[in-house]
Amino acid sequence: MFKEILFDTISLITILNPIAAAAIMLSLVKYSEIPQVARKTSMTVFIASLVTMFAGGYILKLFGINIPSIKAIGGVVLLIIALNMIQGKEVAPTNTTKEEHEAAENRDDVAIIPLAIPILFGPGVITTIIVLSEKSKTISEKIYLLCAIFLSSFIVFLTLRKADIISKFLGVNGLKIITRLMGLIIGAIAFLFLVGGVKALWINL
């Protein structure tokens, strides 16, 4: 049980990359707004994760898309994200563009858009949750995934809530090192998804 929850939590938190999101948040909100923004952002991530977990598979079936296909393309998406993170590029791990970042500076409330979606909860997270959900066949495994989603969302909250302290402690170089380490972990997860998806598709042929 512990091993399963730990694997799912690490998979989600590395792709969510809350440390990079925290750095962006500090450039968008005032210090007094951090607690409120952290709560609203983490809650949005949690709700979006639950919706994806319970409805994602049905939506795919509605369009006739099988899970091996999602695992394969998801592996490619995660691999691209991982490679960009390893190279220290900001755009991939945060799932946002320069235009979105500039637009966010003019918004009164940035907690939901763009912080929660798409900076934290992007295509990589959606793919990962769908794959993990389809892998969880029993009620116990579903509960493990729910625990992982809750823990991941809680870690997002803590990271955003203490964003100023983390930023000062790590500094620019520290953030880059952590981003690269997360990129390596995401890369390993990407290969698992990609190989598993391609293997399943090949067998089905």
Side-chain angles (χ1 to χ4, degrees):
M1 178 186 73
F2 177 76
K3 182 179 180 181
E4 188 72 21
I5 295 175
L6 182 62
F7 175 81
D8 291 350
T9 302
I10 292 176
S11 299
L12 290 173
I13 205 65
T14 50
I15 300 169
L16 283 166
N17 198 0
I19 293 180
I24 293 178
M25 182 190 69
L26 290 176
S27 67
L28 298 177
V29 304
K30 300 176 182 178
Y31 179 79
S32 59
E33 298 173 335
I34 289 179
Q36 180 182 357
V37 171
R39 285 193 299 270
K40 188 177 293 186
T41 301
S42 57
M43 183 59 67
T44 301
V45 170
F46 179 69
I47 294 173
S49 298
L50 290 182
V51 172
T52 302
M53 176 184 172
F54 290 109
Y58 294 105
I59 294 174
L60 293 180
K61 291 177 182 177
L62 181 65
F63 289 97
I65 303 173
N66 57 30
I67 294 303
S69 298
I70 288 296
K71 288 183 71 175
I73 190 62
V76 174
V77 171
L78 292 179
L79 186 59
I80 293 173
I81 292 175
L83 291 175
N84 280 293
M85 291 177 72
I86 292 171
Q87 294 173 13
K89 296 180 181 179
E90 182 180 347
V91 64
T94 56
N95 299 304
T96 186
T97 64
K98 181 180 179 181
E99 290 76 15
E100 288 172 333
H101 192 283
E102 291 174 351
E105 293 178 346
N106 299 319
R107 293 177 61 90
D108 294 329
D109 186 3
V110 299
I112 298 176
I113 298 175
L115 273 179
I117 303 171
I119 291 178
L120 281 162
F121 195 84
V125 180
I126 294 173
T127 302
T128 302
I129 291 177
I130 291 176
V131 172
L132 292 176
S133 178
E134 290 300 316
K135 185 191 70 170
S136 305
K137 301 298 182 182
T138 66
I139 296 179
S140 297
E141 290 174 338
K142 294 288 186 183
I143 293 175
Y144 298 159
L145 180 55
L146 280 173
C147 291
I149 289 174
F150 174 79
L151 288 174
S152 300
S153 301
F154 185 65
I155 292 172
V156 167
F157 168 73
L158 290 180
T159 304
L160 296 181
R161 182 65 181 82
K162 303 298 182 181
D164 55 330
I165 298 175
I166 294 174
S167 181
K168 291 178 181 178
F169 178 75
L170 293 177
V172 176
N173 291 331
L175 290 173
K176 288 182 178 179
I177 291 172
I178 290 180
T179 297
R180 284 174 168 81
L181 289 175
M182 288 185 172
L184 289 174
I185 297 174
I186 293 175
I189 296 172
F191 270 107
L192 288 175
F193 285 2
L194 181 58
V195 172
V198 171
K199 182 179 179 181
L201 289 172
W202 181 263
I203 293 174
N204 291 334
L205 290 176

